[in-house]
Amino acid sequence: MASIVQQWGDNNPSTFSTNNSSPTTAAPTLDQLIAQTALNNGVEKPRGHTVSFHYNSEVEQHHFGRSHPMKPWRLQLTKQLILSYGLQYAMDMHITRPARKDDMAKFHKDDYLDFLSEVTPENMSNDSDSMRLFNFGDDCPVFDGLFNYCSLYTGASLSAARCLTSSLTPSSLASPKSDSSTQTSDIAINWSGGLHHAHKSHASGFCYINDIVLTIQHLLRYVPRILYIDIDVHHGDGVEEAFHSSDRVLTLSFHKYDKLEFFPGTGALDETGPRDNRNLGCHHSLNCPLKDGIDDEQYIWLFQQTAGKAVETFRPSAIVFQCGADSLGGDRLGKFNLNIAAHGACLDFIRAMGIPLLVLGGGGYTARNVARLWCHETSLCTRTSLSNDLPAHVPYMQAFAGAENGDSKLYPELGGQHRNDHDEGYLLNVVRRIHEQLRYLKGAPSVEMKRMPRDVWGLREEMEREAREEREDERGDMESAIVDEEERGGGGGGGGGGNGGGDGGGSSGDGETGQRRSEKRRRDKERGVGGRGEFG
């Protein structure tokens, strides 16, 4: 936490300067102002659960372009609000490292990653075919530092997932690859993540790397079932597609749907996964397609009726929650009428269930309201009630000041900006259809870890390594037996036959020991325990 606050203060020395201090009274420092604000808002470590915050401020430095609606600056505003209220005192703060290329390759194709890591604004015109193949253009532009940007937000999501799996994994099964400093979290937050449109081999909808898929893959190494919830105004198509044939991930998306006029044009009510009932993923994709203008009361009711039933039926081991802010009223791209408190009520409904929770960002194109929302939802995770008046020491207060920007309030009125096209009958039908789909699940599936698709989860190399070790052990047992037999046979003279027979029995016992060891490894794999004590 200290390094983040220090970095913030160093970058904004004039923000907190004062000319009114007397020679005998020192002006309060930034740390003192934050500490007092935290005290006034009752900020403290939550009791009964641990919250971690994962972030690398370098992600703020990237820019999609002057006219592009995606502004990473919204992340800086979010950070400033969270720190100004002192919410860092209620969380374990993690400055995260960038994800490596091989981390991303656990889902994305190598040729796509090669292009993503090499393309620049200077050389992109040299490979127009690849630009088209990988869907780069107006929505997904090439900009300076593109691959670094992807690495930063993906690394933060993976860091959050690792903290969450520390609480999910029995100590006897903990992965030795985990960082020994990794702390246990019941709720892990990364507001820079949640880029749900990226596909395995191409970019889409401002998203290049699908950090959500990568985090779910990581979680599935430790737990049998994940519920993915998406309340972005756009359909979570990339995540749904990635787990299309899996019964270990249930996706539930709430979004505006218009096949022809609203991106991505997917997520209809009848899109429920593979049509073939023999496919494990059948009925494991749930979609709540919405029209323009849904209000707070309707949205909260719909969410609780569907998400509550999904949790009850599927019984997830952990939940990944994408909190896209473009479903707020007043967003540049979205057309809902949601207020900050209503959006947050959905997250709080899930948080109160006490299931391990990974919270991610997503869309959101009115930066000041994105910051307000994610600050509020951070406070919900820490069970803190924040004052409506923004702290006076918030940097860039001009972004929140004035009637058009919300009058320096945390909870300005955002509803009523669009005509509401929903009626009770439409929403009742959505709930009824979702409940029908959930009945097909017939309760939570009984999942054995050995059913994990190894190619997808990136465990092929590990299994091959274990197989090589088994073969080497067996070869070593055989070589030891031969050497023992030769030594005993050579030294036994004429009586060697009898000793040789006896030693042959001993070598047979050694062979049986090796066989038992191999058999034990085989049984361990079938139970889902790998050679290093982790799920394989």
Side-chain angles (χ1 to χ4, degrees):
M1 180 273 293
S3 59
I4 297 179
V5 174
Q6 186 63 46
Q7 180 182 30
W8 173 24
D10 288 347
N11 289 341
N12 299 276
S14 62
T15 306
F16 305 100
S17 63
T18 175
N19 297 320
N20 299 323
S21 57
S22 67
T24 59
T25 304
T29 66
L30 171 60
D31 286 345
Q32 289 171 334
L33 290 170
I34 293 173
Q36 186 60 51
T37 302
L39 183 65
N40 294 343
N41 285 275
V43 177
E44 61 180 358
K45 291 275 189 180
R47 298 176 183 177
H49 70 280
T50 302
V51 181
S52 59
F53 189 86
H54 303 259
Y55 192 65
N56 189 318
S57 60
E58 290 183 22
V59 76
E60 303 162 6
Q61 309 302 320
H62 298 280
H63 199 276
F64 278 59
R66 183 178 300 275
S67 60
H68 199 285
M70 175 65 97
K71 309 290 185 187
W73 183 62
R74 67 198 182 133
L75 299 172
Q76 186 173 22
L77 287 182
T78 300
K79 181 188 73 177
Q80 306 292 19
L81 282 187
I82 289 170
L83 295 177
S84 294
Y85 274 107
L87 288 170
Q88 64 271 27
Y89 299 131
M91 301 183 287
D92 297 327
M93 306 294 285
H94 296 257
I95 301 177
T96 58
R97 65 168 179 80
R100 301 185 304 269
K101 193 174 180 180
D102 59 342
D103 293 325
M104 304 176 195
K106 291 176 181 176
F107 172 62
H108 292 282
K109 287 192 172 182
D110 290 339
D111 59 345
Y112 173 58
L113 292 176
D114 290 342
F115 178 78
L116 187 65
S117 62
E118 295 168 2
V119 69
T120 67
E122 291 73 30
N123 67 20
M124 65 180 186
S125 60
N126 299 333
D127 195 352
S128 57
D129 290 341
S130 293
M131 290 285 290
R132 286 191 295 270
L133 175 65
F134 299 124
N135 200 35
F136 282 71
D138 292 341
D139 278 0
C140 299
V142 175
F143 54 87
D144 287 326
L146 170 59
F147 190 74
N148 185 49
Y149 165 73
C150 297
S151 300
L152 289 166
Y153 74 73
T154 301
S157 291
L158 290 173
S159 172
R162 285 191 289 270
C163 268
L164 205 63
T165 53
S166 296
S167 67
L168 295 171
T169 309
S171 57
S172 61
L173 296 177
S175 169
K177 295 174 70 175
S178 299
D179 185 344
S180 60
S181 65
T182 296
Q183 295 168 288
T184 297
S185 299
D186 301 294
I187 301 175
I189 303 170
N190 170 31
W191 292 126
S192 67
L195 278 73
H196 58 171
H197 294 307
H199 295 267
K200 188 178 186 70
S201 58
H202 68 270
S204 180
F206 316 160
C207 305
Y208 301 88
I209 294 295
N210 200 315
D211 61 298
I212 306 173
V213 171
L214 292 168
T215 56
I216 292 175
Q217 287 179 346
H218 178 82
L219 293 172
L220 285 173
R221 299 183 67 178
Y222 301 90
V223 299
R225 291 177 299 279
I226 302 294
L227 172 61
Y228 170 68
I229 301 176
D230 190 318
I231 58 174
D232 195 283
V233 77
H234 299 96
H235 177 228
D237 59 331
V239 182
E240 179 182 298
E241 178 185 86
F243 299 104
H244 188 69
S245 295
S246 173
D247 63 348
R248 299 182 59 202
V249 179
L250 179 68
T251 62
L252 174 59
S253 179
F254 302 80
H255 51 268
K256 174 178 164 61
Y257 174 73
D258 185 322
K259 187 173 184 177
L260 299 179
E261 300 295 333
F262 196 77
F263 181 88
T266 56
L269 190 56
D270 61 356
E271 293 178 23
T272 60
R275 300 294 184 185
D276 187 345
N277 286 325
R278 295 170 297 179
N279 190 307
L280 294 176
C282 189
H283 307 296
H284 282 73
S285 301
L286 304 178
N287 288 297
C288 295
L290 301 171
K291 307 175 184 180
D292 289 344
I294 191 168
D295 62 29
D296 293 350
E297 183 179 358
Q298 292 172 328
Y299 197 90
I300 293 172
W301 177 83
L302 175 66
F303 183 88
Q304 293 181 353
Q305 291 295 313
T306 52
K309 191 67 174 178
V311 172
E312 176 188 333
T313 303
F314 190 62
R315 297 206 302 275
S317 313
I319 296 174
V320 177
F321 202 123
Q322 199 265 22
C323 298
D326 47 7
S327 45
L328 289 177
D331 187 81
R332 288 179 63 185
L333 300 185
K335 292 189 176 181
F336 289 171
N337 285 322
L338 298 187
N339 281 291
I340 290 167
H343 194 286
C346 299
L347 176 63
D348 204 41
F349 178 73
I350 295 298
R351 179 208 59 79
M353 295 178 177
I355 300 170
L357 180 62
L358 179 59
V359 180
L360 300 171
Y365 309 101
T366 302
R368 59 183 179 273
N369 293 336
V370 174
R372 287 178 164 115
L373 174 69
W374 291 345
C375 177
H376 168 66
E377 293 183 336
T378 302
S379 76
L380 292 176
C381 292
T382 63
R383 305 185 70 176
T384 305
S385 296
L386 300 180
S387 62
N388 191 24
D389 294 322
L390 296 180
H393 51 269
V394 172
Y396 310 113
M397 180 62 88
Q398 65 272 21
F400 306 99
E404 70 281 7
N405 294 327
D407 282 325
S408 302
K409 303 294 182 183
L410 183 60
Y411 304 108
E413 176 60 43
L414 301 178
Q417 301 188 36
H418 305 284
R419 188 185 72 183
N420 190 343
D421 292 334
H422 299 84
D423 56 37
E424 182 179 355
Y426 180 84
L427 297 176
L428 283 170
N429 182 58
V430 171
V431 170
R432 178 182 62 82
R433 294 280 296 277
I434 295 295
H435 286 193
E436 287 176 357
Q437 291 302 318
L438 287 169
R439 280 198 288 271
Y440 283 107
L441 301 188
K442 300 176 183 177
S446 178
V447 178
E448 298 179 51
M449 299 303 290
K450 69 177 182 179
R451 295 177 62 187
M452 188 185 306
R454 295 170 187 155
D455 288 346
V456 177
W457 310 143
L459 297 181
R460 175 186 288 271
E461 291 183 4
E462 180 181 330
M463 300 304 294
E464 290 177 346
R465 177 186 59 77
E466 291 176 5
R468 285 195 302 271
E469 289 178 356
E470 285 183 15
R471 291 194 295 270
E472 289 168 3
D473 286 345
E474 291 170 359
R475 188 181 304 114
D477 290 337
M478 293 176 63
E479 290 174 352
S480 296
I482 292 171
V483 169
D484 288 346
E485 185 174 353
E486 288 177 348
E487 288 178 350
R488 293 188 179 105
N499 288 338
D503 289 341
S507 330
S508 175
D510 290 340
E512 289 175 4
T513 300
Q515 186 176 359
R516 285 196 298 271
R517 189 183 301 120
S518 298
E519 181 66 19
K520 181 179 182 299
R521 280 200 183 94
R522 184 188 64 78
R523 289 196 303 268
D524 284 346
K525 285 183 188 177
E526 290 180 351
R527 292 200 310 271
V529 181
R532 295 176 298 181
E534 60 191 286
F535 288 120

